[in-house]
Amino acid sequence: MSAEIITLLFLIFAIVMFAWEKIPIPVTAMIVAVGLTVTGVLEPADAFAGFIDSNVLLFMAMFIVGAAFFDTGMAQKVGGIVTKFAKTEKQLIIAVMVITGLMSGFLSNTGTAAVFIPVVIGIAARSGFSRSRLLLPLVIAAALGGNLSLIGAPGNMIAQSALQEINMEFGFFEYAKVGLPMLIIGILYFSLFGYKLLPNRKDNDLDKDSVYSKQIDYSNVPKWKQYAALIVLVLTIVAMIFEKQIGVKLYISAWIGALILVATGVISEKNAMKSIDMNTILLFVGSLALAKAIDTAGTGALIADTIIGTLGSNPSPYILLFVILLLSAVMTNFMSNTATTALLVPIGLSIASAMGADPRAVLMATVIGGSLALATPIGMPANTMVYGIGGYKFTDYVKVGVPLIIILIIAGMILLPIFFPFYSN
């Protein structure tokens, strides 16, 4: 059996298992990496090169920097200041979306949502607003905020790794050219009419053992630790923004910040290690192995030729853009948004190569579509986290998310050709 067919079979296996989730997604990804090695499609060094990929190192450090910001209570303090000025339900929805969206642009969107869920539950209890009116806007803002920077979401870094293989890259804030308008559209959507689609259910009593039933007391955390966590986070992000000017790589800046926080005791060594999400790391490594095989074995070219052939011998870039956005947006709602991006990025690169299109444009469309996990409770972890405590039904996500996805795809069809045209003049 040829390497091309073996890789295609592993791709099909990954798609089925990612969607089915009978075994954890990171385990599936590593099965693929090991399988590609055993079958001789990849050399071990190529299959597991992801463990020393600069973007994996960047993620590991930012997990620690983010954990210090969360664990010292600084994130909750920032959120509390913002929401304090919101008096009406609509103002509260907007305030929650703004702070969640902005923070998830630089920190884990799942972590950001996890911090603000108990904050919102407390606000709902004090104000009399239903949790079901507030938690869905929160997780949707977390999803859209991930496209504000290069480090906002794992999918962004998967696309960056693929581009670096062909000596190209995205700038730190390039995702924001499309991501920021989309976040603003999401906030406007809820403030103008989306709030009417939110369910208004009576809040259930939280399980006394639930982490969300306990308001964590950060009063015993020394003030200097809180401010140190904030200062290091800000300086780390500033160093990343000015990477080229200061000549220090992103992951080096991130590790300097992480090491300062551990060395000064702002976060303990144990908590720093626990904060590194190995699920994300293993999914990333396995995905990079599959991407490498899809490229080197010729499977990507085969899939790209099939897609382009279906669209005609000379497909319109607008039709192709729509197909990529729609395919990504549909897939991401039924499997992990990171897994969707990981599967589609190498195929997108092959399509770009076959069409002679700008790879950055195709991958940007793939990532933006993959971030629209807004219409099901399984599209991203934050969606699942609020499912029970918000008293939601599957149809609530559909009713709120589908209209927004349609609006955002239309916005993407306008914004992407302006900032990332498939063909440069």
Side-chain angles (χ1 to χ4, degrees):
M1 197 182 295
S2 69
E4 185 180 70
I5 299 301
I6 292 171
T7 304
L8 181 61
L9 291 175
F10 274 115
L11 174 62
I12 293 168
F13 168 77
I15 292 170
V16 171
M17 296 306 291
F18 281 173
W20 195 23
E21 284 196 75
K22 266 296 179 188
I23 56 176
I25 286 175
V27 175
T28 296
M30 292 308 294
I31 288 172
V32 170
V34 171
L36 289 168
T37 306
V38 171
T39 53
V41 175
L42 291 178
E43 291 295 318
D46 291 328
F48 301 104
F51 281 113
I52 54 168
D53 184 272
S54 62
N55 295 309
V56 169
L57 294 171
L58 171 59
F59 258 129
M60 292 171 70
M62 286 309 294
F63 280 135
I64 297 171
V65 174
F69 190 62
F70 294 138
D71 291 354
T72 57
M74 200 63 199
Q76 196 174 45
K77 182 178 284 188
V78 171
I81 292 169
V82 174
T83 54
K84 190 184 294 181
F85 299 102
K87 302 302 180 191
T88 67
E89 183 185 70
K90 196 188 293 188
Q91 287 175 352
L92 189 54
I93 289 172
I94 294 169
V96 165
M97 291 191 74
V98 168
I99 188 66
T100 306
L102 292 176
M103 282 181 55
S104 69
F106 304 100
L107 301 164
S108 154
N109 45 21
T110 304
T112 303
V115 164
F116 283 111
I117 286 169
V119 174
V120 168
I121 288 172
I123 291 169
R126 290 193 300 273
S127 64
F129 300 131
S130 169
R131 292 198 295 266
S132 63
R133 305 281 293 168
L134 303 174
L135 291 174
L136 261 184
L138 184 153
V139 295
I140 286 174
L144 297 179
N147 287 330
L148 293 186
S149 77
L150 189 60
I151 59 174
N156 303 11
M157 302 303 296
I158 290 172
Q160 180 79 334
S161 291
L163 278 178
Q164 288 170 343
E165 288 288 317
I166 54 173
N167 297 316
M168 299 177 80
E169 63 180 11
F170 288 124
F172 189 80
F173 279 122
E174 278 203 89
Y175 284 101
K177 291 178 180 177
V178 181
L180 181 58
M182 284 192 158
L183 175 60
I184 293 169
I185 289 168
I187 294 169
L188 288 174
Y189 167 80
F190 277 103
S191 63
L192 296 175
F193 58 86
Y195 70 94
K196 297 176 183 176
L197 302 175
L198 291 164
N200 191 8
R201 300 211 170 88
K202 186 177 183 297
D203 289 341
N204 299 319
D205 290 334
L206 291 171
D207 187 323
K208 64 177 179 11
D209 295 324
S210 167
V211 67
Y212 302 117
S213 67
K214 304 176 180 73
Q215 291 296 315
I216 301 173
D217 180 14
Y218 293 105
S219 61
N220 61 340
V221 177
K223 286 281 187 285
W224 74 266
K225 285 191 176 184
Q226 294 186 330
Y227 290 115
L230 176 61
I231 291 166
V232 169
L233 173 62
V234 171
L235 290 179
T236 300
I237 292 170
V238 169
M240 290 177 176
I241 294 169
F242 295 102
E243 176 194 12
K244 288 183 169 55
Q245 288 84 343
I246 63 176
V248 179
K249 295 286 187 184
L250 295 180
Y251 67 97
I252 298 295
S253 294
W255 271 106
I256 290 171
L259 292 171
I260 288 172
L261 290 167
V262 175
T264 56
V266 173
I267 185 172
S268 68
E269 180 190 353
K270 182 180 177 182
N271 285 346
M273 295 300 289
K274 278 169 59 179
S275 74
I276 297 173
D277 184 357
M278 285 307 297
N279 286 332
T280 299
I281 303 298
L282 293 176
L283 174 57
F284 207 100
V285 170
S287 300
L288 291 179
L290 182 58
K292 180 79 173 177
I294 286 172
D295 178 37
T296 57
T299 308
L302 176 68
I303 295 169
D305 290 343
T306 304
I307 291 173
I308 294 170
T310 304
L311 297 176
S313 57
N314 190 23
S316 158
Y318 292 102
I319 292 175
L320 184 62
L321 172 61
F322 177 72
V323 168
I324 290 171
L325 279 174
L326 186 63
L327 179 63
S328 302
V330 171
M331 283 179 63
T332 195
N333 279 286
F334 295 97
M335 63 172 71
S336 152
N337 52 348
T338 308
T340 298
T341 310
L343 289 171
L344 293 180
V345 158
I347 296 169
L349 273 183
S350 298
I351 290 173
S353 176
M355 288 184 63
D358 183 351
R360 295 167 82 253
V362 177
L363 292 197
M364 181 61 72
T366 304
V367 171
I368 293 298
S371 69
L372 302 181
L374 316 176
T376 69
I378 57 174
M380 57 180 256
N383 292 15
T384 310
M385 286 159 64
V386 300
Y387 182 73
I389 55 177
Y392 294 120
K393 298 176 182 175
F394 192 95
T395 50
D396 293 329
Y397 290 81
V398 175
K399 192 186 296 182
V400 173
V402 169
L404 181 54
I405 289 171
I406 292 169
I407 292 168
L408 291 175
I409 287 177
I410 293 169
M413 293 293 295
I414 297 168
L415 293 166
L416 284 161
I418 294 172
F419 295 111
F420 298 95
F422 276 24
Y423 301 103
S424 51
N425 296 327

